[in-house]
Amino acid sequence: MTTEEKKAPVAHGSKRYRLNDTLIAARPLEPALYLVATPIGNLGDITIRALETLAGADVLACEDTRVTRVLLDRYGIENRPYAYHEYNADEAGARLLAALEAGKSVALVSDAGTPLVSDPGYRLGQLAIQAGHRVVPIPGASAPLAALVGSGLPNDSFLFAGFLPTKDKAKRDRLRELAKVPATLIFFESPHRIGDTLVAAADELGNDRPASVCRELTKTFEEFRRGPLGDLAAAYADKTVKGEIVLVIGPPAPDAAPDAADVDSLLAELATTMPTAKAATEAAKLTGLPRKDLYQRLLELKGAA
C-alpha cells in the first residue's frame, strides 16, 4: 500500500477501520449476533477482530452511543451506533432481532468490557439463541479477569459473583453463602461502598483472608491494594476513592484435619447409640474424613476393647 493510500480519507459509509495511518477494509460478516468485547479503560486494548466486526456489522448496538463513539472515532470507524440498554431493551431488542431475522449482522458492545457480564445484553443473547440465530463471541478485555490476574491470588478456580447487595444484612447473607466456596471470589463494587463491603467481608469471611482491591484497571491511575481483609477494611474505613473497583478475595483456607484422638472419641461415642456402619457414616459427615477409613478404625477400636 502506498503512502497516499494509507492516508487516503475514509469514504462515507465505507466499512473500514484505521490502525495508525493505515486504512483497512473490513471483510463481510455472516449473519449473526456478534458480542464484542471493548476496552475497559485503555483504548489500545481493542483487538483487530473487534475492530473489523465493529466496522463491518450491518447494525451496531451499544449501551451509550457517546461512549462507543469515542472508540469508533479513535479507529476511524464510521458505522453508526444505536442505543440498546436496560431502559429500552424491549423495543430496541425487538428491532435487533428483526435485523437478525432479515439476515443482517448485528454487533453488540457494552460501555466497557465483555457484553453480557452485568449488563442487559444477556437478554438479547438469550432471545437470539432461542430464535435459532448464531451468536458469536469476540473476546477481549474483561475487568474480572484483569483483576484476577493482577491480584496475585489463586486463579485455578474462581467465581465471578457480580455486585453484592447494597443493604448490609443482604450483603452479609450473600457473603456467608459464598464463605466456603473453594475458589477465589470476584465482585464488582462502587467506590462509595467499598469501605462498608470490606468490613462486612472481614466479619463474614475472616480478617486474615487474603484479598485485593483493584481500581481503575488499565487506566492512568490503575491501583492494586493487596492484603488481609481486616487490614484492607481498616485502610478504606475513612478513605475516599474514585473510579471503578473490582474486589478479589482469595479462597478459604482448607480445614485442618481433626486430631486422631478426637476422631476416636467421636467414633466411640457414636457407637454407643448406633450400629457400626451408621456410626461411621455419621462420623464422616461430621469430620469430612472418608467413611471407609472411619468404619475400619471403628472395627479396630471395638476389637481392642
Side-chain angles (χ1 to χ4, degrees), residues 15-17 24-30 48-49 52-53 55-57:
K15 294 186 175 183
R16 298 181 181 180
Y17 58 95
I24 303 172
R27 290 172 295 182
L29 295 176
E30 295 181 1
I48 301 296
R49 189 180 178 202
E52 187 166 58
T53 303

Side-chain angles (χ1 to χ4, degrees), residues 139-175:
S142 172
L145 291 179
L148 177 64
V149 169
S151 70
L153 295 169
N155 56 28
D156 56 329
S157 179
F158 59 90
L159 170 66
F160 172 63
F163 285 95
L164 285 164
T166 57
K167 294 189 176 180
D168 187 66
K169 182 181 183 305
K171 180 182 296 184
R172 290 173 180 270
D173 288 345
R174 178 60 173 154
L175 286 167

Side-chain angles (χ1 to χ4, degrees), residues 247-259:
L247 174 61
V248 185
I249 302 176
D255 293 331
D259 183 80

Side-chain angles (χ1 to χ4, degrees), residues 15 54 95 127 140 166 169 175 187 202 218 230 236 239:
K15 294 186 175 183
L54 295 178
R95 292 200 301 269
L127 291 173
T166 57
K169 182 181 183 305
L175 286 167
F187 303 97
T218 78
Y236 283 87
K239 184 178 177 67

